[in-house]
Amino acid sequence: MIDIVLLTLLLAVAIAIIRMKDLFAVVMLSGIYGLLSASFFVAMDAVDVAFTEAAVGAGISTLLMLVVITMTGRSENTTRHKPFPALLLVVITGCLLIYGTLDMPYFGSADAPVHSHVAPRYINDSMQEIGIPNIVTSILASYRAFDTFGELVVIFTAGIGVLALLSSVRRPDNGDKIVCINYSMHEQHLVVRIVTKMLLPFILLFALYVQFHGDFGPGGGFQAGVIFAAAIILYAMLFGLSTARIVINQPFIQLISATGVLLYGCVGLVSLLNGGNFFDYNFLSNDAITGQHLGIFLIEWAVGCTVASVIIIIFFNFADYRERQQSNENEHNQESP
Amino acid sequence: MLVAATLAIFIAMTLAIIRGISGPTFYDRILAVNMFGTKTVLLISLLGFVMGRPEFLDIAIVYALINFISVIAVLRYSDTNQFKHTPATETSNHQSTEKEH
Amino acid sequence: MEIVINISSGLCLFIGSFVCVSGGIGILRFPDFYTRMHAVGVTGTLGAGMILIGLMLYSTDFLVFAKLVMILLLTLLISPTTSHVLAKAALHNGLMPKLSQNTVEQSSLEQESKETASSKS
Amino acid sequence: MLIGLFNNWIVVMLMMIGLYIVIAHGNLIKKIVGLTLFQTSVFIFYISMAKVVGGTAPILADDIIQYSNPLPHALILTAIVVAIATTALALSLVIRIKAAYGSIEEEEIQRQDNQIQADKKERKQA
């Protein structure tokens, strides 16, 4: 029942997104869309996914789009090209897909093909084989560790891509002006600054809690990384990018992101050298369960480091590019009259 | 009572979405998103109790934090000229609100 | 004893949901941004507080109780802050409250007081 | 049938809305939002596939027999983080396009490209 209401709301928001011309409104609605889909994931028992989607879909992705909109302009061109062929194509594809769903098993049926293949083994045996209660974590970090390694490398590569596209060597003489912009912008936000100072230690502690609690409840490296990055982003937004860069400078964070991937790979290599398969944690220690615990612990740390640092890198570069653009514009405005 | 409270939260969420869509100024939209976020925190807490496993309240904490961060982000990055409030930036016909301006 | 707790938690939940719905109606029906924000700011904190207290009375586990307390504290801290920042940003970026026609003088007065306030800060 | 397949139909509609935005809108940011809708619809599809009626979240506890399927959860969890990373890459491309062309409307970019091509041809003929 809950899922039907949530899905209907999702559909309404999506239709509203098509019709909006103001890109700012589109981004705000996509934030609502992220929150709604995360609530849907909770209603579907996917607590780990809801955790991630809440932090990523509703928080970070909205934030990044917002930063970009402030650089690229807010209003969309009203003319759409070829709306009718597009509509026709979409309707035909949609009808075919709906025809395809008629053969699908009904929602929630326990004998659907998905539930008959490997899932029973994960549910029944993971406690004996891995020894941690959260099945999602044991699948993610142990049974399908190689998969997760691939995903981590994708995230790392995306971070490198953003660096390659946006980063530049900072000219030292430009720094003062940027500090000036920051200063004038933030001197009035006293209340938020104080509240943020109170909240920041709590957020960082909570990220660590999520990191370590991932074996027993919803959480783990991905979520902890995103929450940690969100805390740093909050700091950078309110206290200025240059201040945040003093806390976490660019080479350091780049090093951390690479270290994460390296650590992940090394865990696999060590288990290979100890006589097992790649990512076979049973061989990390004399006792199989201890080995599994050690492997999952290390891998969650590797994931957390890489995710946090890549998201921080992405945000820093976006915000940095924006500040450089703004200071260039200011210079231009000062010269032109 | 839990189910009734969940229903009430759903109604409040729907109203917030309507305000978020219809808008007129972009502050109304931020307000709607903010309210929607608070209601989502409550919904998640309630859902935990309705579904019988209330130990996953960590998610609600994350929601509260993320909601704060996104509102701060919106306000932090709305300092450029294109977000200055002028009647020309209005998207719908509620412009009568700003006649005095 | 159990009955008392059940009734009081039900009462808290009922008050909380009523406040939440009235806040929703407020955000939809009020004429301009500031009054809408008033509706959301007041009902958001109160409604969330009542519902969370109701859930606390329901909870049997200590950890669940502690997490609910944490959410309540966060809401009490965050919700007023966001309202404050939002109103301030709206005023700074030139969104004026909707006033009835015969209080235009008042609006100019307000403009002045705003300017003095911003020069002070 | 209506209740049994409702989730799938909504997923199809969301997916098609995303596809329509990607095809029919010229603004690059809107296109990225459309892609996000498309991605999220896939996530919803997987997660609603994993649900078992009467099951609870796949975190083992003593007194629970029926769990939802944890495998799609693990897949989607990583997919969400990958989605944000790729979206960020796309957004940074948009920033560079804006810097190079001064616009993020597809038609304007195409027009400028054609202009450059035509200029080159003219120069060659000359």
Side-chain angles (χ1 to χ4, degrees):
Chain A
M1 196 54 224
I2 294 165
D3 53 312
I4 291 177
V5 178
L6 284 173
L7 284 173
T8 317
L9 289 180
L10 267 176
L11 193 64
V13 173
I15 290 172
I17 286 179
I18 299 186
R19 300 186 49 80
M20 287 284 172
K21 290 279 174 290
D22 184 2
L23 284 178
F24 177 80
V26 169
V27 170
M28 286 286 96
L29 283 183
S30 76
I32 289 187
Y33 186 88
L35 281 172
L36 265 177
S37 57
S39 323
F40 176 76
F41 294 154
V42 174
M44 293 288 104
D45 301 336
V47 277
D48 277 282
V49 183
F51 216 122
T52 322
E53 172 73 15
V56 168
I60 307 288
S61 116
T62 316
L63 197 154
L64 290 181
M65 283 192 193
L66 199 76
V67 179
V68 176
I69 282 182
T70 57
M71 283 189 265
T72 56
R74 187 180 161 188
S75 63
E76 184 194 3
N77 202 343
T78 42
T79 54
R80 293 176 193 173
H81 49 284
K82 300 185 191 124
F84 291 108
L87 198 63
L88 193 70
L89 179 78
V90 162
V91 167
I92 290 173
T93 321
C95 288
L96 284 176
L97 282 175
I98 284 182
Y99 176 69
T101 60
L102 295 181
D103 288 338
M104 298 269 302
Y106 283 178
F107 170 71
S109 56
D111 51 352
V114 206
H115 308 310
S116 64
H117 195 51
V118 284
R121 169 159 173 209
Y122 292 148
I123 292 173
N124 295 326
D125 299 346
S126 74
M127 200 61 190
Q128 282 86 47
E129 288 177 357
I130 314 286
I132 59 172
N134 189 349
I135 310 177
V136 177
T137 303
S138 47
I139 294 176
L140 190 81
S142 182
Y143 287 115
R144 295 188 154 263
F146 201 55
D147 248 20
T148 314
F149 189 42
E151 318 262 23
L152 197 67
V153 173
V154 172
I155 295 164
F156 182 62
T157 318
I160 294 178
V162 172
L163 267 179
L165 282 170
L166 294 184
S167 85
S168 77
V169 184
R170 289 170 68 86
R171 283 165 296 169
D173 59 313
N174 229 352
D176 302 335
K177 277 173 203 156
I178 289 171
V179 169
C180 280
I181 295 175
N182 277 329
Y183 186 71
S184 64
M185 211 144 37
H186 296 300
E187 59 186 354
Q188 72 265 62
H189 290 168
L190 187 64
V191 175
V192 200
R193 284 180 151 204
I194 291 171
V195 171
T196 306
K197 272 184 183 167
M198 284 160 70
L199 275 179
L200 266 180
F202 175 76
I203 302 179
L204 293 177
L205 194 66
F206 185 68
L208 284 178
Y209 164 77
V210 171
Q211 171 82 46
F212 288 116
H213 198 66
D215 296 359
F216 308 101
F222 283 101
Q223 293 94 327
V226 175
I227 295 169
F228 193 87
I232 303 291
I233 288 173
L234 182 62
Y235 184 78
M237 281 190 303
L238 282 172
F239 295 84
L241 202 59
S242 0
T243 325
R245 274 194 197 275
I246 297 170
V247 181
I248 292 180
N249 62 358
Q250 186 91 13
F252 175 69
I253 201 76
Q254 286 169 8
L255 187 73
I256 295 283
S257 72
T259 314
V261 179
L262 197 66
L263 177 63
Y264 201 128
C266 283
V267 172
L269 274 184
V270 168
S271 62
L272 197 66
L273 292 176
N274 280 1
N277 289 325
F278 201 51
F279 292 122
D280 194 350
Y281 307 145
N282 287 348
F283 292 87
L284 284 180
S285 163
N286 293 328
D287 180 39
I289 295 287
T290 319
Q292 289 284 353
H293 280 216
L294 183 65
I296 289 176
F297 177 79
L298 287 176
I299 273 185
E300 292 281 9
W301 263 107
V303 169
C305 286
T306 304
V307 170
S309 48
V310 164
I311 290 180
I312 293 173
I313 286 175
I314 290 171
F315 175 78
F316 273 15
N317 280 296
F318 275 37
D320 188 41
Y321 197 88
R322 180 175 185 272
E323 282 188 357
R324 265 184 282 143
Q325 202 184 35
Q326 266 189 345
S327 70
N328 283 350
E329 268 170 24
N330 282 359
E331 247 169 61
H332 194 72
N333 289 348
Q334 279 166 6
E335 281 166 14
S336 57
Chain B
M1 204 59 231
L2 285 174
V3 179
T6 317
L7 270 180
I9 299 286
F10 270 131
I11 294 170
M13 277 169 123
T14 318
L15 296 173
I17 288 181
I18 295 172
R19 178 47 73 196
I21 291 172
S22 68
T25 67
F26 91 107
Y27 292 103
D28 286 300
R29 296 209 163 93
I30 308 170
L31 187 67
V33 172
N34 183 21
M35 175 175 170
F36 194 85
T38 338
K39 294 295 170 286
T40 318
V41 174
L42 295 179
L43 181 72
I44 301 299
S45 328
L46 279 167
L47 274 186
F49 282 86
V50 170
M51 298 193 308
R53 291 192 82 177
E55 60 261 44
F56 307 134
L57 284 169
D58 307 349
I59 309 174
I61 300 178
V62 176
Y63 276 57
L65 293 175
I66 289 297
N67 193 19
F68 179 65
I69 291 175
S70 58
V71 172
I72 298 295
V74 174
L75 299 169
R76 163 71 177 77
Y77 285 109
S78 61
D79 55 358
T80 49
N81 280 331
Q82 51 181 325
F83 288 99
K84 281 272 182 278
H85 190 82
T86 50
T89 59
E90 293 296 293
T91 48
S92 63
N93 50 4
H94 288 254
Q95 290 175 0
S96 57
T97 328
E98 272 73 42
K99 264 181 187 157
E100 298 93 337
H101 179 60
Chain C
M1 191 58 203
E2 197 143 305
I3 293 176
V4 175
I5 287 182
N6 271 346
I7 288 176
S8 52
S9 89
L11 201 67
C12 281
L13 283 178
F14 177 75
I15 296 172
S17 19
F18 173 75
V19 168
C20 279
V21 172
S22 60
I25 294 170
I27 197 179
L28 202 63
R29 295 285 299 157
F30 274 144
D32 77 335
F33 169 73
Y34 292 96
T35 45
R36 278 173 212 145
M37 209 193 65
H38 168 77
V40 174
V42 172
T43 62
T45 319
L46 186 63
M50 289 317 272
I51 285 184
L52 288 173
I53 288 173
L55 288 179
M56 274 177 216
L57 294 173
Y58 253 105
S59 63
T60 48
D61 192 7
F62 174 71
L63 196 61
V64 173
F65 184 81
K67 280 176 187 169
L68 282 171
V69 172
M70 216 129 84
I71 298 172
L72 182 60
L73 286 179
L74 272 181
T75 321
L76 289 182
L77 193 64
I78 286 174
S79 180
T81 315
T82 44
S83 303
H84 162 84
V85 181
L86 204 53
K88 197 166 174 175
L91 204 62
H92 266 279
N93 277 359
L95 177 68
M96 290 308 291
K98 184 182 186 183
L99 303 165
S100 60
Q101 292 303 318
N102 53 0
T103 47
V104 180
E105 304 89 5
Q106 205 178 331
S107 104
S108 62
L109 259 177
E110 210 168 298
Q111 184 92 40
E112 273 172 29
S113 68
K114 192 189 95 187
E115 277 164 15
T116 50
S118 60
S119 66
K120 262 179 205 166
S121 65
Chain D
M1 193 170 88
L2 185 69
I3 298 293
L5 292 177
F6 183 78
N7 285 28
N8 293 337
W9 293 346
I10 294 278
V11 165
V12 170
M13 285 181 215
L14 289 177
M15 207 180 256
M16 288 307 118
I17 287 173
L19 189 62
Y20 177 76
I21 293 179
V22 173
I23 297 175
H25 286 254
N27 190 298
L28 292 178
I29 296 213
K30 191 92 179 233
K31 271 184 203 280
I32 292 176
V33 173
L35 273 180
T36 318
L37 291 192
F38 198 101
Q39 280 170 339
T40 316
S41 75
V42 175
F43 301 159
I44 292 171
F45 178 63
Y46 267 66
I47 297 298
S48 62
M49 210 157 65
K51 169 81 177 167
V52 179
V53 167
T56 62
I59 292 172
L60 296 168
D62 291 335
D63 47 346
I64 293 169
I65 323 149
Q66 180 77 273
Y67 295 99
S68 288
N69 192 343
L71 183 57
H73 297 183
L75 298 180
I76 293 307
L77 197 152
T78 51
I80 288 175
V81 185
V82 169
I84 179 70
T86 46
T87 307
L89 193 59
L91 285 173
S92 56
L93 275 174
V94 169
I95 296 175
R96 292 309 295 259
I97 288 173
K98 169 79 178 177
Y101 290 86
S103 162
I104 52 166
E105 298 288 339
E106 203 180 45
E107 285 172 353
E108 172 69 19
I109 293 165
Q110 220 138 39
R111 196 187 59 74
Q112 289 190 19
D113 265 352
N114 291 342
Q115 188 86 42
I116 293 169
Q117 293 276 321
D119 285 354
K120 264 187 193 166
K121 241 179 214 170
E122 247 172 49
R123 226 174 290 153
K124 245 180 208 170
Q125 280 169 357

